[in-house]
Amino acid sequence: MIADIQNALKTLIYEEAGLPQDALDVRFAAPTSNWVAGLTRPTLNFFLHDLHENAGLRSMEFQRADSVRGAKRTLAPRRVDLKYLVNVFFKSQVDELGRDEWNVLWRVLAALMRQEEWEAKYVPSAVKELDLNVLGTVNTAPNQTNYSLFTSLALSVRPHLNYTLTVPLDLNISSLAPFVFERRVGLRTGLEIESGSEADVLVIRSSWLIRDENGQPVRDALVRTDSGERGFTDASGVVHLPVERESVRQLDVLTLEGKVLQVDPAQSFLVLESER
């Protein structure tokens, strides 16, 4: 994921800051003094020096997705902050003020500030699959940690940026609850329960999962059996009816759009096709 993010960041920088790819490199190395001395081209460097979870954005919610095997519950991704020290290095400068370097840094600052929430075209496909965006924050306030970084890298303190990217991390924590097609519950009202005795009350519930031809759940649809039992589908497209599955010969479905369809109740997962 980090490699995908950094490749996307490189594309964003070149496009948003209008930097020439044939004349300036964007790299992600530890800028030690020896590394800087070995540069042969102007270089914009993003040094990843810290990463930790953004606890303020943590979500303990589970996302639900129904499949033919049951209901899959997946823990929402965590959010991680990637902290970068951003520097520009030119082998030679126009003058002692380092104007070339600072002009590049200025354009990069504007580009990053414009992309506080990355446009979709810059977001890697692996992040889009998690249905979350990439957030970017520039902090220009003095930071004592940065001065320590320059010292540890054997560099002189120079104008720089602090850039934080907040990206999702999928922990791959999920559980599968098998879909129950028919449930029978026997209730005994007597105080004494004899082994093998029949239940005083028998509660039967059968379930069907109804989707449209695109695989999306059909919600708030009225479902009725040929013997008169009826109920509405929930947000997941599931309807529960107090009837034995084997006794149902026909299901009539009335959708919110006013379509009336007859389906075969023998199937566990019913698919409603749109009218041609």
Side-chain angles (χ1 to χ4, degrees):
M1 175 69 78
I2 292 181
D4 294 335
I5 289 292
Q6 294 188 161
N7 287 333
L9 176 57
K10 182 183 295 186
T11 299
L12 182 151
I13 288 297
Y14 277 129
E15 292 187 8
E16 293 294 323
L19 300 177
Q21 297 188 40
D22 58 346
L24 184 141
D25 293 335
V26 177
R27 301 180 65 177
F28 298 88
T32 62
S33 57
N34 290 335
W35 179 84
V36 174
L39 294 176
T40 59
R41 284 162 50 94
T43 300
L44 169 67
N45 190 67
F46 287 79
F47 172 41
L48 177 60
H49 62 86
D50 182 61
L51 71 163
H52 61 266
E53 181 188 358
N54 187 321
L57 296 178
R58 178 185 295 181
S59 173
M60 298 304 296
E61 294 183 357
F62 280 82
Q63 301 168 343
R64 171 172 170 161
D66 292 316
S67 67
V68 295
R69 298 175 56 196
K72 182 178 181 181
R73 299 172 68 248
T74 303
L75 183 64
R78 298 291 173 86
R79 309 295 284 277
V80 177
D81 287 341
L82 309 179
K83 295 183 178 294
Y84 291 93
L85 179 69
V86 186
N87 285 281
V88 181
F89 301 99
F90 273 51
K91 196 67 175 180
S92 61
Q93 301 172 355
V94 173
D95 56 31
E96 68 277 5
L97 297 179
R99 290 175 182 170
D100 281 359
E101 292 185 0
W102 315 153
N103 285 339
V104 169
L105 198 62
W106 187 259
R107 293 166 69 175
V108 170
L109 173 61
L112 296 178
M113 284 185 167
R114 284 197 300 270
Q115 294 290 328
E116 291 186 350
E117 182 173 348
W118 279 17
E119 294 181 33
K121 64 180 180 179
Y122 298 124
V123 178
S125 57
V127 177
K128 290 181 180 178
E129 292 175 358
L130 300 177
D131 199 26
L132 290 171
N133 209 338
V134 176
L135 306 177
T137 305
V138 181
N139 182 8
T140 56
N143 189 330
Q144 188 62 42
T145 301
N146 291 352
Y147 302 141
S148 299
L149 285 173
F150 279 109
T151 300
S152 64
L153 295 168
L155 291 177
S156 300
V157 177
R158 56 197 292 114
H160 58 275
L161 301 177
N162 301 307
Y163 185 51
T164 301
L165 277 177
T166 303
V167 300
L169 172 62
D170 188 2
L171 300 181
N172 292 317
I173 297 178
S174 61
S175 62
L176 180 66
F179 194 73
V180 179
F181 302 121
E182 183 176 282
R183 177 173 296 172
R184 294 168 176 260
V185 179
L187 303 177
R188 294 182 175 87
T189 58
L191 296 178
E192 297 183 359
I193 301 177
E194 298 180 3
S195 176
S197 62
E198 296 293 332
D200 296 326
V201 179
L202 180 62
V203 179
I204 300 176
R205 189 185 76 168
S206 298
S207 305
W208 287 267
L209 173 60
I210 301 180
R211 296 175 173 172
D212 61 21
E213 61 179 2
N214 298 318
Q216 299 301 312
V218 178
R219 58 186 303 172
D220 298 325
L222 174 62
V223 181
R224 183 176 60 186
T225 70
D226 52 316
S227 57
E229 292 82 8
R230 64 182 62 193
F232 289 91
T233 57
D234 59 19
S236 301
V238 177
V239 61
H240 307 290
L241 299 175
V243 63
E244 291 186 5
R245 294 182 65 85
E246 294 182 354
S247 67
V248 180
R249 297 291 178 264
Q250 178 178 304
L251 286 176
D252 295 324
V253 181
L254 174 62
T255 67
L256 285 176
E257 294 75 20
K259 297 179 182 178
V260 180
L261 302 171
Q262 294 181 346
V263 294
D264 181 6
Q267 304 177 47
S268 301
F269 302 91
L270 310 178
V271 178
L272 301 184
E273 297 183 357
S274 61
E275 297 180 351
R276 303 294 183 183

